[in-house]
Amino acid sequence: MSQSLADSLPGKGGSGLKVWLKSSAYTRRLLLGEGGDPWLGAAPYLAYFSQAQGLLRPDVAVVEVGELFDSWLVRHPEVRAELGSKRRLSFPLRKLLEQDEPRRLLAEVVEAVVANLRGQTPLVLAMPSPKHWLHRANVLAGRSDIELDPDGIEDAAMYMADLLRSVSSSPVGGVLLEEHPDDAAMGETDLERYRPLINVARHYRWSLALRPQGTGVAESPVLAEFDAVLSSVVAVPAPVSTGVDVSQLLWSGAALPALGKAQFYFVEIPETQRPEFVLESLARLRA
């Protein structure tokens, strides 16, 4: 049984979550070497995952779903060639996410990771936001100068919700939707268009977190339906928890802000950061 993310969040009355790490780029390079790929099967992924957990001892166990599909697509260029076979904006993402093989791999990975965690750490599935994954899939399909529309973003959220249903039998602790820094240039995010994902997370009683880019989402009433927001600029009132992004401050050696009641630290570890400095910095955070 996986621990629920909400049980650890300070805004929800928990106390277990002090530091949330985004570390996949760093741990892949460190443990697998340049260009190393842990996504060749459930067994090699679990070997990598358990090493990474032992190294960093994070408060949240994160499986990067977008990276799984990126890895699989590199090994299946024939599918990438089919992504642009229909003109509809949402077709490339639909085509990618309906593939049976990566969906099976995701289910196997989640099952293996849940067993490995033994309910001691919440398992979160990190996914690109619908807006970002929709844009990225179109770029992979060879389309340039695309213009995202609200209906296309909602379609993307619907296809992602269907993907989550494929792992609904596993005790997932939460889902994280991450925007890319470039997403802010594509206009403000209408969180209501993420409704299919919000509904499926609530249906399975999974916690839901958001890592936005820019400050526009702070005005959305839908933000209150998330359990946590990870940002350096957006703070939300309790009971929503705020993961204060201190990545730039931490790696520059600057002073860290004190945390409020419903807050915890969020840190992304740079891919090329020195291991000694990483461990020293994390110890500083946890102190």
Side-chain angles (χ1 to χ4, degrees), residues 103-171:
R103 288 168 77 105
R104 282 197 303 271
L105 176 57
L106 176 60
E108 292 168 1
V109 162
V110 169
E111 182 180 4
V113 167
V114 167
N116 179 266
L117 292 173
R118 300 179 182 178
Q120 297 177 1
T121 306
L123 168 61
V124 170
L125 302 181
M127 309 171 77
S129 71
K131 180 166 74 171
H132 179 63
W133 220 350
L134 177 65
H135 181 266
R136 176 163 173 74
N138 275 273
V139 170
L140 290 170
R143 299 173 179 176
S144 58
D145 300 324
I146 59 168
E147 195 167 318
L148 302 186
D149 61 57
D151 289 342
I153 293 173
E154 191 164 355
D155 285 346
M158 181 176 64
Y159 301 140
M160 292 170 62
D162 182 67
L163 175 64
L164 287 179
R165 290 188 191 97
S166 71
V167 294
S168 61
S169 61
S170 294

Side-chain angles (χ1 to χ4, degrees), residues 215-245:
T215 59
V217 297
E219 305 301 321
S220 173
V222 181
L223 200 61
E225 299 186 49
F226 286 77
D227 296 287
V229 175
L230 313 179
S231 175
S232 60
V233 292
V234 177
V236 287
V240 180
S241 296
T242 300
V244 182
D245 188 343

Side-chain angles (χ1 to χ4, degrees), residues 15-151:
S15 59
L17 178 51
K18 305 293 186 186
V19 181
W20 183 325
L21 300 177
K22 183 175 180 65
S23 60
S24 61
Y26 169 75
T27 53
R28 285 200 321 271
R29 181 192 63 82
L30 187 67
L31 299 174
L32 303 177
E34 197 73 34
D37 185 357
W39 296 107
L40 302 179
Y45 182 82
L46 184 60
Y48 152 78
F49 173 85
S50 58
Q51 278 188 284
Q53 290 290 109
L55 178 68
L56 299 177
R57 303 192 180 280
D59 296 335
V60 180
V62 180
V63 170
E64 299 281 354
V65 179
E67 291 181 5
L68 182 158
F69 278 86
D70 284 347
S71 168
W72 185 85
L73 202 55
V74 167
R75 299 192 303 278
H76 294 82
E78 72 282 359
V79 175
R80 178 172 179 174
E82 297 173 7
L83 296 185
S85 60
K86 293 186 180 179
R87 295 184 60 83
R88 189 176 178 185
L89 178 68
S90 59
F91 179 79
L93 185 60
R94 173 187 171 186
K95 184 70 176 178
L96 176 61
L97 297 188
E98 71 182 11
Q99 300 299 314
D100 288 337
E101 189 176 338
R103 288 168 77 105
R104 282 197 303 271
L105 176 57
L106 176 60
E108 292 168 1
V109 162
V110 169
E111 182 180 4
V113 167
V114 167
N116 179 266
L117 292 173
R118 300 179 182 178
Q120 297 177 1
T121 306
L123 168 61
V124 170
L125 302 181
M127 309 171 77
S129 71
K131 180 166 74 171
H132 179 63
W133 220 350
L134 177 65
H135 181 266
R136 176 163 173 74
N138 275 273
V139 170
L140 290 170
R143 299 173 179 176
S144 58
D145 300 324
I146 59 168
E147 195 167 318
L148 302 186
D149 61 57
D151 289 342

